[in-house]
Amino acid sequence: MTDAQTVLSIRGAEHHYRADHAALAGANLDLYAGRITALLGPSGSGKSTLLRAIAGLERLDTGSIRLGDTIWNNEQTHLPPEARRVGMVFQDYALFPHMTALANVAFGLSGADKKARALAQLEAAELGHRAKAYPHELSGGEQQRVALARALAPQPAVVLLDEPFSGLDRRLRGELRERTVDTLRAARTTALIVTHDAEEAMAVADELALMDAGRIIQTGAPDEVWMEPVSATAAKLLGDVEIIESHISNGQAATPFGAVDAPGLEAGQRVNVLIRPRAFVLTLADHGTFTITRRRSAGPHLTCRFAGDRGEWTAQTPSPASIAVGDRVNVVLDPVYVRVVAV
Ligand SMILES: Nc1ncnc2c1ncn2[C@@H]1O[C@H](COP(=O)(O)OP(=O)(O)OP(=O)(O)O)[C@@H](O)[C@H]1O
């Protein structure tokens, strides 16, 4: 994303909890004005640590965090959390149990009109009628909405949400996800949402940032990142993928399913061929090269395992019900769902 204004900029962020392990290992990330960035990464990749560093709850060893021209962190500076204009929604919502919903939302506000402003924020979350309820009297979804209202009430420059839907059941998750996105958009907030759920990240993100081993390994629009992963690690974060090691010869990478074009890569270069399950096109053939070893129907598509001399792979095809375990098939690749990346 280059046309939106950068609000928050993180460069070379490093953080160690222990000397022998970097929780952040040189992370770079930009957040853009009014846009929602989803931070997706496996457990332990450093997502929460990055959030906590932005909020000022962890101090960077090296690197910088800037809000516009204001330095929040660098070698000399560590602005305390209360001096940063950050709203935070934690995984467990962290509402004050002895305070009403209204008091929770008003907590970070000052001025004579703070109750009115808090109430307006609760009403925007369609929870005005629950203003006097205590957290234990609210459902999980309502608590999350109060937590979001509390984070937004002081009109922060950036809102950080750490796995904000993880405590909710599946149906409620989808509903609340949409509501949260609508609320953030209505408030024109710059937001960073942490998740380890690829589908959730794709659903909420204007910008997707992939994190692994303390670094941001790829950023971009969700579709772009899905279609053009920069590495096998990035591809795996976004869904099932078969990875075939190969090398470049005559501008192509050989696979057991035929050669794949690999423009721009030099002869001899070692590569990974990244194949999404839907790239495999299976055709029944009496003397086919591969054998179906397993099949599982999942409504509109069929997931098949198939084996050949050099391995076993998983395909996802639009339900051709005629394929059965033991059938012989030939397999070619739909190049739309195949990428070749240098190793
Ligand atoms: N308070 C702590 N003390 C020591 N090590 C920690 C602490 N918090 C996190 N770590 C370590 O830092 C690394 C990054 O952890 P972090 O919680 O940031 O990852 P994460 O991507 O948010 O993971 P998850 O999705 O499981 O929440 C991990 O190796 C973790 O064990």
Side-chain angles (χ1 to χ4, degrees):
M1 195 62 219
T2 49
D3 53 346
Q5 190 197 342
T6 303
V7 171
L8 191 91
S9 181
I10 301 163
R11 289 291 173 274
E14 291 194 19
H15 181 75
H16 290 76
Y17 294 102
R18 313 187 303 263
D20 61 343
H21 179 76
L24 297 179
N28 300 320
L29 182 66
D30 288 322
L31 302 184
Y32 300 102
R35 297 179 71 82
I36 300 172
T37 300
L39 182 59
L40 175 70
S43 187
S45 57
K47 304 181 298 295
S48 297
T49 304
L50 187 61
L51 233 64
R52 292 173 58 79
I54 296 170
L57 301 169
E58 302 292 347
R59 193 175 187 137
L60 295 182
D61 301 333
T62 58
S64 68
I65 302 177
R66 268 187 311 114
L67 180 82
D69 293 334
T70 311
I71 308 264
W72 282 3
N73 265 101
N74 63 13
E75 273 74 19
Q76 297 81 36
T77 312
H78 177 80
L79 209 63
E82 59 277 12
R84 302 181 184 210
R85 294 176 46 225
V86 167
M88 210 146 169
V89 177
F90 296 93
Q91 196 166 341
D92 58 1
Y93 319 134
L95 295 175
F96 304 115
H98 57 290
M99 288 187 193
T100 63
L102 184 67
N104 264 283
V105 177
F107 181 77
L109 303 178
S110 54
D113 63 343
K114 69 179 195 175
K115 272 212 164 136
R117 279 158 56 214
L119 189 59
Q121 199 71 52
L122 269 182
E123 278 165 356
E126 293 175 40
L127 280 173
H129 62 295
R130 303 294 277 142
K132 290 186 177 152
Y134 286 88
H136 73 271
E137 297 170 319
L138 299 169
S139 71
E142 286 171 340
Q143 289 181 41
Q144 196 268 4
R145 282 153 60 198
V146 173
L148 182 58
R150 181 178 65 180
L152 290 172
Q155 299 188 303
V158 178
V159 174
L160 310 173
L161 303 98
D162 196 356
E163 301 266 2
F165 316 112
S166 61
L168 304 164
D169 73 51
R170 206 179 152 75
R171 186 190 52 80
L172 198 60
R173 268 179 98 111
E175 198 182 301
L176 201 64
R177 192 159 81 189
E178 283 182 19
R179 219 180 226 284
T180 301
V181 168
D182 290 349
T183 306
L184 293 171
R185 290 214 193 297
R188 296 169 192 269
T189 312
T190 303
L192 181 63
I193 301 186
V194 162
T195 177
H196 60 253
D197 179 331
E199 192 194 313
E200 186 161 285
M202 301 280 292
V204 300
D206 300 311
E207 298 288 319
L208 185 59
L210 303 182
M211 188 157 196
D212 186 59
R215 289 194 183 86
I216 303 295
I217 58 169
Q218 188 170 7
T219 58
D223 292 346
E224 185 187 303
V225 176
W226 196 85
M227 287 305 286
E228 303 291 346
V230 293
S231 64
T233 305
K236 279 193 275 189
L237 279 175
L238 287 175
D240 294 336
V241 63
E242 296 288 5
I243 298 162
I244 306 228
E245 293 178 12
S246 186
H247 65 273
I248 301 297
S249 170
N250 295 326
Q252 293 187 312
T255 79
F257 323 104
V260 175
D261 286 339
L265 292 170
E266 287 189 10
Q269 167 77 53
R270 284 180 53 229
V271 294
N272 279 325
V273 182
L274 312 176
I275 306 174
R276 293 287 180 199
R278 67 175 81 175
F280 295 109
V281 180
L282 277 49
T283 319
L284 285 167
D286 285 343
H287 302 287
T289 314
F290 304 94
T291 308
I292 302 292
T293 55
R294 222 183 307 164
R295 82 190 283 285
R296 182 164 50 81
S297 203
H301 62 257
L302 183 71
T303 301
C304 294
R305 289 282 285 169
F306 63 95
D309 294 345
R310 289 166 55 191
E312 192 170 3
W313 303 273
T314 300
Q316 203 181 67
T317 72
S319 274
S322 55
I323 288 184
V325 171
D327 280 350
R328 306 284 295 192
V329 290
N330 284 324
V331 178
V332 294
L333 296 174
D334 176 351
V336 172
Y337 303 111
V338 180
R339 288 293 174 273
V340 182
V341 293
V343 175

